[in-house]
């Protein structure tokens, strides 16, 4: 049974999270350093694709850990346990940031002269709260804008749908993997990931009605199939080195592709950068099996730790951004190109990172362990054993 952490993929999580953060912080960067904003525009403008990378990683990692446990046959008990453990992983931070976002919206009503927009305030109602608590707010609308008080939370609602489907998906993937070679599984993974790309080619934009649905379902499935392919591989050291070089080449190609698509968008496509999504599955596969520069870099202790706090960063950064925008209005703050402005933007990113670390150590991990203990069998303290009636009794040594 193959389980456990793939360190390079943990490190990749912080790359994806920072990509999304910088995507949202583009207006601030444009004010503080127009030159940097312009130079990095092709990368920053495609930052929303970091969410697609997260979806693929999610499908891959969950399949890595649960394919053998849940794939052979249906088990209601195992499926419910899986769902509870997924809630334990995402729900605590999700609930805290959800209520922080709501609390700040209420705060602006009573403090200062610039409350948040009326549509935000209007969404502070009991029905919206109920939908968000149960992670289903996105399921009722074609667009994710305005679905959640904390903007990035829409993707957690989408992920929850994928988690609910995982019990069935893993049965299918297990059987496909049993009769398909690794190369065929890789091609199936790439094909599954093409659905959002085809919609992009059809419409020229990534954000169309219900576009979030194929993004989560097919990218998550692509990650699951990619994992099934990796699990079938038996690689030599030389092959791992080649995979590591492939990962480095893919990373460079993604960056170069973003600049090329920005300069020469097909048919004047607005979101041409989204086409690099087709390289995410090969990137995840090569990083998961590769050795060498890029896998080693992402596997360092610093990158792995940052990957661990990346969920908190993803969930808190937009709240920090919203607070800053409110303060700009309230105190008439103006950013002009200067070193102080650059340090201000950097400071906001660092504050988001520090809050993410705080969430990880104070909320995410303690709450995850607490929720996990609710369903794990209790082991008697040392020196005690459970009697048939359930009472604890001292353990006595018996002579052999």
């Amino acid at each position: 049974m193959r389980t456990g952490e793939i360190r390079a993929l943990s490190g990749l999580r912080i790359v994806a999270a920072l990509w999304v953060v910088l995507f949202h912080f583009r207006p601030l960067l444009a004010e503080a350093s127009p030159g940097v904003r312009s130079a990095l525009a092709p990368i920053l403008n495609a930052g929303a694709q970091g969410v697609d990378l997260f979806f693929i990683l999610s499908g891959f990692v969950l399949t890595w850990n649960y394919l053998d446990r849940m794939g052979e046959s249906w088990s209601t008990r195992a499926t419910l346990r899986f769902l509870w453990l997924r809630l334990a992983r995402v729900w605590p931070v999700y609930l805290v940031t959800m209520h922080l976002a709501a609390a700040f919206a209420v705060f602006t009503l009573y403090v200062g002269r610039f409350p948040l927009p009326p549509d935000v305030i209007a969404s502070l109602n009991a029905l919206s709260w109920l939908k968000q608590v149960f992670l289903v707010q996105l399921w009722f609308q074609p667009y994710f804008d305005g679905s959640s008080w904390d903007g990035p939370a829409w993707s957690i609602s989408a992920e929850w749908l994928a988690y609910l489907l995982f019990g069935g998906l893993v049965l299918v993937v297990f059987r496909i993997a049993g009769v398909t070679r690794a190369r065929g599984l890789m091609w199936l993974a790439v094909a599954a990931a093409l659905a959002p790309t085809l919609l992009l080619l059809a419409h020229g934009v990534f954000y169309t009605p219900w576009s979030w649905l194929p993004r989560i379902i097919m990218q998550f499935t692509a990650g699951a199939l990619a994992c099934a392919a990796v699990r079938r591989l038996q690689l030599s050291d030389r092959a791992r080195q080649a995979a590591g070089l492939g990962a480095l080449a893919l990373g460079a190609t993604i960056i170069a592709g973003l600049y090329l698509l920005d300069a020469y968008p097909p048919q004047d496509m607005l979101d041409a950068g989204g086409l690099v999504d087709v390289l995410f599955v090969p990137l995840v596969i090569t990083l998961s099996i590769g050795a060498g520069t890029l896998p080693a870099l992402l596997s360092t202790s610093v990158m792995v730790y940052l990957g661990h706090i990346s969920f908190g960063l993803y969930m808190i950064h937009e709240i920090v951004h919203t607070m800053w925008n409110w303060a700009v209005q309230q105190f008439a703050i103006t950013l002009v190109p200067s070193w102080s402005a650059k340090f201000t933007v950097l400071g906001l990113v660092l504050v988001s990172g520090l809050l993410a670390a705080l969430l990880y150590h104070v909320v995410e991990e303690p709450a995850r362990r607490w929720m996990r203990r609710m369903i794990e069998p209790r082991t008697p303290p040392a020196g005690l054993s459970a009697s048939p009636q359930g009472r604890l009794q001292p353990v006595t040594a018996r002579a052999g």
Side-chain angles (χ1 to χ4, degrees):
M1 180 184 295
R2 295 188 180 185
T3 59
E5 182 177 30
I6 302 176
R7 291 174 64 85
L9 297 188
S10 293
L12 184 60
R13 289 175 57 84
I14 190 59
V15 176
L18 280 174
W19 200 7
V20 176
V21 170
L22 294 176
F23 171 73
H24 288 143
F25 280 29
R26 287 174 300 164
L28 300 182
L29 189 57
E31 295 174 355
S33 183
V36 172
R37 168 68 178 88
S38 178
L40 296 178
I43 297 174
L44 299 181
N45 292 343
Q49 309 317 125
V51 176
D52 296 84
L53 185 52
F54 269 123
F55 289 160
I56 293 171
L57 282 169
S58 184
F60 188 104
V61 171
L62 291 180
T63 304
W64 179 260
N65 285 292
Y66 287 97
L67 186 62
D68 289 333
R69 302 177 190 178
M70 297 173 58
E72 188 170 359
S73 62
W74 172 264
S75 168
T76 301
R77 181 184 180 88
T79 301
L80 291 176
R81 183 178 189 277
F82 163 80
L83 291 173
W84 181 257
L85 292 179
R86 293 318 301 162
L87 274 179
R89 174 63 69 181
V90 302
W91 214 19
V93 169
Y94 170 90
L95 289 176
V96 168
T97 52
M98 164 191 160
H99 288 97
L100 281 176
F104 182 71
V106 173
F107 170 83
T108 64
L109 286 175
Y110 294 92
V111 178
R113 296 167 294 150
F114 298 97
L116 293 186
D119 59 326
V120 176
I121 303 302
S123 72
L124 298 174
N125 58 68
L127 182 58
S128 178
W129 177 84
L130 192 64
K131 289 178 180 178
Q132 291 183 71
V133 164
F134 287 99
L135 299 162
V136 299
Q137 71 270 25
L138 185 62
W139 303 2
F140 300 91
Q141 56 188 71
Y143 294 102
F144 56 72
D145 280 344
S147 64
S148 309
W149 298 334
D150 180 19
W154 72 267
S155 64
I156 311 305
S157 180
E159 286 248 4
W160 180 236
L161 176 61
Y163 298 160
L164 291 174
L165 297 175
F166 182 75
L169 175 65
V170 73
L171 294 173
V172 175
V173 171
F174 185 89
R175 280 148 186 78
I176 293 174
V179 297
T180 311
R181 294 180 178 179
R183 182 180 299 178
L185 288 166
M186 290 180 189
W187 281 116
L188 285 174
V190 171
L194 284 177
T197 303
L198 292 175
L199 291 176
L200 172 60
L201 288 169
H203 299 284
V205 294
F206 221 73
Y207 194 35
T208 54
W210 301 102
S211 60
W212 63 267
L213 192 55
R215 285 177 75 183
I216 178 59
I217 298 299
M218 299 313 296
Q219 302 283 26
F220 188 91
T221 301
L225 290 166
C227 175
V230 167
R231 291 169 63 91
R232 296 212 62 173
L233 295 174
Q234 298 292 332
L235 299 173
S236 64
D237 290 341
R238 184 174 181 179
R240 292 187 180 279
Q241 290 290 337
L245 289 174
L248 187 61
L250 283 166
T253 302
I254 288 171
I255 295 172
L258 289 172
Y259 279 90
L260 184 64
L261 290 167
D262 182 73
Y264 306 102
Q267 301 293 322
D268 296 324
M269 186 182 297
L270 183 62
D271 293 331
L275 295 176
V276 301
D277 273 20
V278 299
L279 299 178
F280 288 167
V281 166
L283 177 66
V284 169
I285 290 174
T286 52
L287 282 174
S288 68
I289 62 177
T293 305
L294 185 56
L297 174 63
L298 293 175
S299 299
T300 59
S301 297
V302 172
M303 292 299 291
V304 170
Y305 173 74
L306 291 175
H308 289 171
I309 68 170
S310 62
F311 177 56
L313 176 64
Y314 179 73
M315 294 301 295
I316 198 67
H317 80 274
E318 191 58 17
I319 298 175
V320 173
H321 188 207
T322 301
M323 289 179 172
W324 170 258
N325 288 339
W326 177 83
V328 165
Q329 288 185 290
Q330 179 65 29
F331 303 107
I333 301 171
T334 302
L335 288 182
V336 295
S338 62
W339 279 107
S340 62
K342 293 182 179 68
F343 282 124
T344 298
V345 177
L346 178 61
L348 290 172
V349 175
L350 291 176
V351 166
S352 299
L354 291 173
L355 290 175
L358 185 65
L359 282 172
Y360 177 75
H361 291 289
V362 176
V363 177
E364 184 175 347
E365 276 298 287
R368 181 186 67 84
R369 291 193 295 267
W370 174 63
M371 291 179 69
R372 190 182 187 97
R373 286 196 299 270
M374 294 181 191
I375 60 170
E376 287 183 340
R378 297 183 181 182
T379 56
L384 295 177
S385 66
S387 69
Q389 292 76 29
R391 295 190 294 270
L392 295 179
Q393 297 177 337
V395 175
T396 58
R398 291 182 295 176

